[in-house]
């Protein structure tokens, strides 16, 4: 199916995902081993296209890997990294007006991150007012979704567990599941496969009902725990996340929070399967200690790399329909 806007991880079907991963893997290999000839070939693929990257919220990986992905495909990129301050939003312009203007400037893709849930969908509704076909990519909308992250997360699982495949894996998803958008997008995308999911979160940080009803609708086995020790020994894959402090308005919620049980360290690894894969969307702020980094299953930096070929494959799919 042609993908113009990419707003939610539910837009991919399982067969589409599987062929997408093969495209991403081909790019991944070209980037790693193709040398200058591959760089040149990749650079010609989208040389006639232009992206606009508009980030209203801080970002390291998503913005840099999207912009690098676009540049490596030969796209030119116009970028605003602090749109809340440096765009006309600071003068009171609405998201709708800003997006309509950007759509009218002839960009092929608008990659957007915003603090409000639903912002990317709102942008997609008005971005083609001029009859030009700009696509909107959701680079994270508040506590909503982060679908390009879930693409790279699932691609990471697909690569790390290539010997046995995604079906049949037990995936433990832990941390701040209430405010985290990466966990929401990942759980929904994982529901295309026959996985078992164990959600682990402190009280008041549990996964939201919309995710659970989505999983129930697809017959996915899942359960919830508050104690990581009751879930981690079962995990084939652990997806750990930080507390999204910037999204929590009530200071009482944070002041009573004891996260000591939620730290994965070299010692915790001793309770887990020897071939466990440990993932994290990053940034980490203490919930995985650095003594885990040398474990062969510690995949979070490989996961961040995967953002590059995955986002290149995504841009190709949006611009060329591949
Ligand atoms: C995540 C995000 O922005 O939602 N970061 C990312 O894109 N890798 C996770 C987070 O900020 O905790």
């Amino acid at each position: 199916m042609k993908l113009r806007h990419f707003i939610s991880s539910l837009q991919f079907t399982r067969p589409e995902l599987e062929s997408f991963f093969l495209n991403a893997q081909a790019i991944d290999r070209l980037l790693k081993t193709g040398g200058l000839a591959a760089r040149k070939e990749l650079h010609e693929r989208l040389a006639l296209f232009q992206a606009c990257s508009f980030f209203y919220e801080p970002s390291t990986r998503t913005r840099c890997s999207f912009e690098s992905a676009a540049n490596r495909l030969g796209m030119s990129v116009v970028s605003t990294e602090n749109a809340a301050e440096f765009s006309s939003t600071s003068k009171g312009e609405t998201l709708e007006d800003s997006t309509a203007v950007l759509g009218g400037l002839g960009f092929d893709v608008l990659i957007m991150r915003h603090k409000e849930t639903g912002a990317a969908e709102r942008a997609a509704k008005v971005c083609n007012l001029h009859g030009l076909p700009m696509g909107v990519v959701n680079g994270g909308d508040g506590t909503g979704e982060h679908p390009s992250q879930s693409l790279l997360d699932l691609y990471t699982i697909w690569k790390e567990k290539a010997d046995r495949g995604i079906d049949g894996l037990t995936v433990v998803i832990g941390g701040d599941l209430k405010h985290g958008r990466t966990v929401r997008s990942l759980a929904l995308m994982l529901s295309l496969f026959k996985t078992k999911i164990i959600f682990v979160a402190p009280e008041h940080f549990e996964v939201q009902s919309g995710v659970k009803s989505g999983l129930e609708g697809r017959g996915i086995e899942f359960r919830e725990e508050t104690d990581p020790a009751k879930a981690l020994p079962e995990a084939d894959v652990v997806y750990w996340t930080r507390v999204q402090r910037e999204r929590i308005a009530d200071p009482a919620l944070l002041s009573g929070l004891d996260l000591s049980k939620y730290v994965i360290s070299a010692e915790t690894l001793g309770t887990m399967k020897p071939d466990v894969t440990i993932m994290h969307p990053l940034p980490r702020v203490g919930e995985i200690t650095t003594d885990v980094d040398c474990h062969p299953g510690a995949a979070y930096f490989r996961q961040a790399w995967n953002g590059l070929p995955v986002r290149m494959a995504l841009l190709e799919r949006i611009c060329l329909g591949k």
Side-chain angles (χ1 to χ4, degrees):
M1 208 183 70
K2 172 99 176 93
L3 188 71
R4 180 186 285 181
H5 307 303
F6 186 40
I7 309 295
S8 163
S9 61
L10 289 172
Q11 281 174 259
F12 271 75
T13 62
R14 179 171 172 153
E16 282 170 343
L17 261 187
E18 284 165 343
S19 79
F20 179 83
F21 290 161
L22 293 173
N23 290 345
Q25 186 180 48
I27 294 174
D28 202 339
R29 288 181 177 151
L30 282 175
L31 288 172
K32 282 194 178 130
T33 58
L36 283 180
R39 282 188 187 218
K40 188 165 181 297
E41 188 270 309
L42 287 167
H43 202 261
E44 283 163 4
R45 291 192 187 183
L46 294 183
L48 301 177
F49 292 80
Q50 194 174 42
C52 178
S53 130
F54 225 70
F55 275 60
Y56 291 85
E57 271 197 337
S59 171
T60 299
R61 280 149 291 278
T62 306
R63 190 175 69 82
C64 292
S65 74
F66 256 124
E67 293 188 13
S68 174
N71 283 322
R72 283 165 188 269
L73 289 165
M75 296 179 90
S76 51
V77 181
V78 172
S79 171
T80 294
E81 63 172 303
N82 183 356
E85 204 180 321
F86 296 147
S87 77
S88 287
T89 307
S90 66
K91 304 178 190 168
E93 185 168 57
T94 62
L95 173 70
E96 278 75 7
D97 278 5
S98 300
T99 316
V101 168
L102 295 172
L105 292 177
F107 294 112
D108 298 286
V109 185
L110 171 67
I111 303 149
M112 200 182 89
R113 170 171 285 191
H114 200 279
K115 69 178 189 325
E116 285 169 31
T117 305
E121 197 172 355
R122 277 166 54 204
K125 285 202 178 112
V126 294
C127 72
N128 304 126
L129 289 181
H130 302 266
L132 296 171
M134 183 175 79
V136 173
V137 173
N138 183 2
D141 62 325
T143 60
E145 281 220 46
H146 194 347
S148 69
Q149 178 73 41
S150 62
L151 272 184
L152 77 90
D153 291 340
L154 213 59
Y155 174 70
T156 302
I157 298 175
W158 182 79
K159 260 174 79 176
E160 298 283 327
K161 297 295 188 197
D163 55 333
R164 52 177 292 190
I166 299 176
D167 287 323
L169 293 175
T170 297
V171 183
V172 172
I173 302 182
D176 180 357
L177 308 185
K178 180 171 181 189
H179 307 98
R181 53 196 174 197
T182 66
V183 290
R184 175 165 310 121
S185 287
L186 176 63
L188 293 174
M189 206 174 253
L190 265 177
S191 71
L192 294 171
F193 296 82
K194 292 184 192 65
T195 53
K196 174 172 155 191
I197 302 177
I198 310 176
F199 294 110
V200 187
E203 207 187 340
H204 306 304
F205 290 82
E206 293 93 350
V207 69
Q208 296 200 352
S209 55
V211 174
K212 290 191 270 185
S213 54
L215 298 182
E216 276 156 7
R218 287 180 169 179
I220 300 300
E221 186 185 343
F222 72 90
R223 69 171 205 267
E224 293 180 85
E225 299 284 1
T226 51
D227 183 358
K230 294 203 172 127
L232 291 175
E234 285 177 57
D236 299 303
V237 176
V238 172
Y239 189 91
W240 223 231
T241 61
R242 72 182 173 97
V243 172
Q244 307 270 305
R245 291 178 188 273
E246 72 276 29
R247 305 197 193 284
I248 298 168
D250 178 6
L253 204 56
L254 291 172
S255 62
L257 190 62
D258 176 11
L259 291 170
S260 50
K261 278 195 299 194
Y262 290 84
V263 175
I264 295 185
S265 64
E267 200 184 327
T268 331
L269 282 178
T271 67
M272 292 155 72
K273 292 185 182 174
D275 63 345
V276 66
T277 298
I278 316 267
M279 295 172 59
H280 194 303
L282 302 177
R284 63 174 161 182
V285 286
E287 61 281 341
I288 299 182
T289 55
T290 51
D291 58 5
V292 176
D293 297 357
C294 55
H295 184 272
Y300 28 92
F301 293 119
R302 295 193 288 276
Q303 180 184 354
W305 155 267
N306 288 337
L308 186 58
V310 161
R311 291 184 167 118
M312 288 172 77
L314 179 65
L315 290 171
E316 269 204 289
R317 195 176 153 108
I318 291 172
C319 293
L320 303 178
K322 279 177 84 179

